[in-house]
Amino acid sequence: MGNKEQTYQDIMETAFKMFSKKGFDQTSLTNIATEVGISKPAIYYYFKSKDELIKTLFDTLVKDIQSVTLIKVENMTAQNIKELMYDIGEKAIDRQEKERSFNQLFNHYILLASRDAYYADQLVRIQHYFFNTFYDALKHAVQINAIKDEAILIKSQVLALLFDNITNYILTGMELDYKKIWKEAVDNTLRGIE
């Protein structure tokens, strides 16, 4: 990795850490530049403004969320559907438990969405992505005769809501067996598959 690419990565990682701890309003580009070891004017080579850095970091987080929740329905069979569904929740739970700063930062974006339409719209898109991901998986499960076509829209919404709320509960520090909760939800949704 070249010097410019490394500096870019350092800025992104530092912004992630500082924004998650202090929020956007309490973190300046000067703070980030100092932590990275570059001058404040140098940070403008990479980002035109603090708002651009905040948006770029958000877009990176969204891609990360989508990669964790990706279900390749073409790989789904009646025999592996439960494992694929378990895996999505388990990967997300593991990540949330190990990297609580991710949730902290994401909650700062939720607050930002209350005053910025761009982020409000993007958060709605993420929610739709969750719903569509689970709905597409359940539709495919019906197509391959793994489950019956019984309220799959509602079932996919239940999974999406639970998936999203598990991450919120993890952030609170509440000690629950999140993986068992997720498995129970998947089992109930896919009832009849052994």
Side-chain angles (χ1 to χ4, degrees):
M1 191 177 321
N3 225 6
K4 289 179 183 178
E5 293 87 3
Q6 185 59 54
T7 301
Y8 177 85
Q9 279 304 120
D10 291 346
I11 292 168
M12 291 290 283
E13 289 171 15
T14 301
F16 180 98
K17 290 175 189 170
M18 294 183 88
F19 288 149
S20 67
K21 285 182 185 173
K22 296 181 178 182
F24 303 122
D25 295 337
Q26 300 299 314
T27 305
S28 68
L29 286 180
T30 302
N31 299 139
I32 294 168
T34 301
E35 187 70 26
V36 171
I38 60 174
S39 67
K40 183 179 177 186
I43 208 167
Y44 289 108
Y45 173 81
Y46 300 92
F47 300 97
K48 293 177 188 171
S49 65
K50 181 177 165 183
D51 288 338
E52 183 182 332
L53 173 57
I54 290 169
K55 182 183 179 301
T56 302
L57 186 57
F58 180 77
D59 293 342
T60 302
L61 294 178
V62 170
K63 287 178 188 170
D64 191 38
I65 289 168
Q66 290 173 337
S67 72
V68 169
T69 58
L70 178 67
I71 300 175
K72 294 184 178 181
V73 294
E74 62 272 10
N75 297 336
M76 186 183 291
T77 66
Q79 292 74 35
N80 72 3
I81 184 173
K82 277 189 177 182
E83 290 305 318
L84 290 174
M85 298 293 272
Y86 292 159
D87 191 50
I88 286 173
E90 290 173 3
K91 283 193 302 190
I93 291 164
D94 284 341
R95 187 164 142 245
Q96 298 296 333
E97 290 179 335
K98 289 177 187 162
E99 199 177 325
R100 292 183 187 240
S101 57
F102 181 92
N103 271 358
Q104 291 168 329
L105 178 58
F106 206 79
N107 279 343
H108 289 296
Y109 282 107
I110 292 170
L111 290 174
L112 184 57
S114 69
R115 62 182 195 255
D116 188 314
Y118 172 80
Y119 295 101
D121 290 344
Q122 294 305 311
L123 291 177
V124 169
R125 285 179 190 222
I126 291 169
Q127 296 302 328
H128 281 288
Y129 176 80
F130 287 156
F131 289 136
N132 292 335
T133 295
F134 292 116
Y135 184 62
D136 290 345
L138 295 183
K139 270 194 329 191
H140 184 75
V142 168
Q143 290 170 352
I144 62 172
N145 296 317
I147 63 173
K148 293 180 182 175
D149 188 0
E150 297 172 351
I152 62 170
L153 177 62
I154 295 299
K155 289 178 179 183
S156 63
Q157 292 170 347
V158 167
L159 288 175
L161 288 168
L162 178 62
F163 184 85
D164 188 48
N165 278 303
I166 282 174
T167 61
N168 292 328
Y169 273 86
I170 290 171
L171 183 61
T172 68
M174 186 175 285
E175 297 292 328
L176 299 173
D177 193 336
Y178 296 107
K179 289 182 182 179
K180 279 189 179 177
I181 292 167
W182 178 250
K183 282 186 172 184
E184 183 69 24
V186 169
D187 287 345
N188 283 328
T189 301
L190 303 177
R191 197 172 299 125
I193 298 177
E194 296 306 323

